[in-house]
Short mmCIF file of all heavy atoms in Angstrom, two decimals:
data_model
loop_
_atom_site.label_atom_id
_atom_site.label_comp_id
_atom_site.label_asym_id
_atom_site.label_seq_id
_atom_site.Cartn_x
_atom_site.Cartn_y
_atom_site.Cartn_z
N ILE A 315 -36.13 70.10 27.37
CA ILE A 315 -35.46 71.37 27.67
C ILE A 315 -34.23 71.13 28.54
O ILE A 315 -33.16 71.72 28.32
CB ILE A 315 -36.44 72.32 28.38
CG1 ILE A 315 -37.57 72.74 27.43
CG2 ILE A 315 -35.71 73.56 28.92
CD1 ILE A 315 -38.68 73.52 28.10
N ASN A 316 -34.35 70.23 29.50
CA ASN A 316 -33.23 69.92 30.38
C ASN A 316 -32.05 69.37 29.59
O ASN A 316 -30.89 69.74 29.82
CB ASN A 316 -33.68 68.89 31.42
CG ASN A 316 -32.59 68.55 32.41
OD1 ASN A 316 -32.17 69.38 33.20
ND2 ASN A 316 -32.14 67.30 32.38
N ALA A 317 -32.34 68.48 28.63
CA ALA A 317 -31.27 67.89 27.83
C ALA A 317 -30.53 68.94 27.01
O ALA A 317 -29.31 68.87 26.83
CB ALA A 317 -31.85 66.81 26.92
N LYS A 318 -31.25 69.93 26.51
CA LYS A 318 -30.63 70.93 25.63
C LYS A 318 -30.00 72.09 26.38
O LYS A 318 -28.95 72.60 25.98
CB LYS A 318 -31.67 71.46 24.65
CG LYS A 318 -31.10 72.42 23.61
CD LYS A 318 -32.12 72.78 22.55
CE LYS A 318 -31.51 73.71 21.49
NZ LYS A 318 -32.49 74.06 20.43
N TYR A 319 -30.62 72.50 27.49
CA TYR A 319 -30.19 73.74 28.15
C TYR A 319 -29.60 73.54 29.54
O TYR A 319 -29.20 74.52 30.18
CB TYR A 319 -31.38 74.71 28.26
CG TYR A 319 -31.87 75.22 26.93
CD1 TYR A 319 -32.95 74.61 26.28
CD2 TYR A 319 -31.27 76.30 26.30
CE1 TYR A 319 -33.41 75.07 25.05
CE2 TYR A 319 -31.72 76.77 25.07
CZ TYR A 319 -32.79 76.16 24.46
OH TYR A 319 -33.24 76.63 23.25
N ASN A 320 -29.51 72.30 30.01
CA ASN A 320 -29.00 72.08 31.37
C ASN A 320 -27.91 71.03 31.40
O ASN A 320 -27.77 70.28 32.37
CB ASN A 320 -30.16 71.67 32.30
CG ASN A 320 -29.82 71.84 33.77
OD1 ASN A 320 -28.91 72.58 34.13
ND2 ASN A 320 -30.56 71.15 34.62
N ASN A 321 -27.12 70.97 30.34
CA ASN A 321 -25.94 70.09 30.29
C ASN A 321 -26.28 68.63 30.61
O ASN A 321 -25.48 67.93 31.23
CB ASN A 321 -24.86 70.58 31.25
CG ASN A 321 -24.36 71.97 30.89
OD1 ASN A 321 -24.14 72.26 29.72
ND2 ASN A 321 -24.20 72.82 31.89
N HIS A 322 -27.46 68.20 30.20
CA HIS A 322 -27.86 66.82 30.39
C HIS A 322 -27.84 66.39 31.86
O HIS A 322 -27.57 65.22 32.18
CB HIS A 322 -26.99 65.87 29.56
CG HIS A 322 -27.21 66.01 28.09
ND1 HIS A 322 -28.19 65.32 27.41
CD2 HIS A 322 -26.58 66.78 27.16
CE1 HIS A 322 -28.15 65.65 26.12
NE2 HIS A 322 -27.19 66.54 25.95
N ALA A 323 -28.08 67.33 32.77
CA ALA A 323 -28.18 66.97 34.18
C ALA A 323 -29.25 65.91 34.37
O ALA A 323 -30.26 65.90 33.66
CB ALA A 323 -28.52 68.21 35.01
N VAL A 324 -29.03 64.99 35.29
CA VAL A 324 -30.00 63.91 35.52
C VAL A 324 -31.31 64.54 35.96
O VAL A 324 -31.39 65.23 36.97
CB VAL A 324 -29.49 62.93 36.59
CG1 VAL A 324 -30.55 61.88 36.88
CG2 VAL A 324 -28.19 62.27 36.13
N PHE A 325 -32.36 64.28 35.18
CA PHE A 325 -33.66 64.89 35.43
C PHE A 325 -34.30 64.23 36.65
O PHE A 325 -34.43 63.01 36.71
CB PHE A 325 -34.56 64.73 34.21
CG PHE A 325 -35.85 65.50 34.29
CD1 PHE A 325 -35.89 66.84 33.94
CD2 PHE A 325 -37.01 64.90 34.74
CE1 PHE A 325 -37.08 67.56 34.00
CE2 PHE A 325 -38.20 65.60 34.80
CZ PHE A 325 -38.24 66.94 34.44
N ASP A 326 -34.70 65.06 37.62
CA ASP A 326 -35.34 64.55 38.82
C ASP A 326 -36.38 65.54 39.31
O ASP A 326 -36.69 66.52 38.62
CB ASP A 326 -34.30 64.24 39.91
CG ASP A 326 -33.54 65.49 40.36
OD1 ASP A 326 -33.90 66.62 39.95
OD2 ASP A 326 -32.57 65.34 41.13
N ASN A 327 -36.91 65.30 40.50
CA ASN A 327 -37.98 66.15 41.01
C ASN A 327 -37.51 67.58 41.26
O ASN A 327 -38.28 68.54 41.12
CB ASN A 327 -38.56 65.56 42.29
CG ASN A 327 -39.91 66.14 42.63
OD1 ASN A 327 -40.87 65.98 41.88
ND2 ASN A 327 -40.01 66.83 43.76
N ASN A 328 -36.23 67.77 41.60
CA ASN A 328 -35.71 69.11 41.83
C ASN A 328 -35.76 69.94 40.55
O ASN A 328 -36.17 71.10 40.54
CB ASN A 328 -34.27 69.03 42.34
CG ASN A 328 -34.17 68.39 43.69
OD1 ASN A 328 -34.63 68.94 44.69
ND2 ASN A 328 -33.58 67.21 43.73
N ILE A 329 -35.31 69.32 39.46
CA ILE A 329 -35.33 70.03 38.18
C ILE A 329 -36.76 70.25 37.72
O ILE A 329 -37.10 71.33 37.20
CB ILE A 329 -34.52 69.25 37.13
CG1 ILE A 329 -33.03 69.26 37.51
CG2 ILE A 329 -34.72 69.84 35.73
CD1 ILE A 329 -32.14 68.43 36.61
N LEU A 330 -37.62 69.26 37.92
CA LEU A 330 -39.03 69.41 37.57
C LEU A 330 -39.67 70.57 38.32
O LEU A 330 -40.35 71.42 37.73
CB LEU A 330 -39.77 68.11 37.86
CG LEU A 330 -41.30 68.11 37.73
CD1 LEU A 330 -41.73 68.55 36.34
CD2 LEU A 330 -41.85 66.73 38.05
N VAL A 331 -39.42 70.65 39.62
CA VAL A 331 -39.98 71.73 40.43
C VAL A 331 -39.40 73.08 40.00
O VAL A 331 -40.12 74.08 39.90
CB VAL A 331 -39.72 71.48 41.93
CG1 VAL A 331 -40.00 72.73 42.76
CG2 VAL A 331 -40.59 70.33 42.43
N GLY A 332 -38.09 73.11 39.72
CA GLY A 332 -37.47 74.36 39.27
C GLY A 332 -38.06 74.84 37.96
O GLY A 332 -38.39 76.03 37.81
N MET A 333 -38.22 73.94 37.00
CA MET A 333 -38.79 74.33 35.71
C MET A 333 -40.24 74.76 35.85
O MET A 333 -40.68 75.73 35.21
CB MET A 333 -38.68 73.17 34.71
CG MET A 333 -37.29 72.99 34.16
SD MET A 333 -37.34 72.05 32.62
CE MET A 333 -35.58 71.84 32.34
N ASN A 334 -40.98 74.04 36.68
CA ASN A 334 -42.38 74.39 36.85
C ASN A 334 -42.53 75.77 37.49
O ASN A 334 -43.40 76.56 37.11
CB ASN A 334 -43.10 73.35 37.72
CG ASN A 334 -44.58 73.60 37.82
OD1 ASN A 334 -45.29 73.59 36.82
ND2 ASN A 334 -45.06 73.84 39.02
N THR A 335 -41.66 76.09 38.45
CA THR A 335 -41.68 77.41 39.07
C THR A 335 -41.41 78.49 38.02
O THR A 335 -42.10 79.52 37.97
CB THR A 335 -40.63 77.49 40.19
OG1 THR A 335 -40.91 76.50 41.19
CG2 THR A 335 -40.62 78.87 40.85
N ALA A 336 -40.40 78.26 37.19
CA ALA A 336 -40.09 79.21 36.12
C ALA A 336 -41.24 79.32 35.13
O ALA A 336 -41.56 80.40 34.64
CB ALA A 336 -38.80 78.78 35.41
#
Side-chain angles (χ1 to χ4, degrees):
I315 293 172
N316 182 66
K318 185 172 182 179
Y319 294 96
N320 198 20
N321 298 317
H322 292 273
V324 176
F325 189 84
D326 62 8
N327 198 62
N328 295 292
I329 293 176
L330 172 56
V331 167
M333 284 200 186
N334 185 61
T335 300

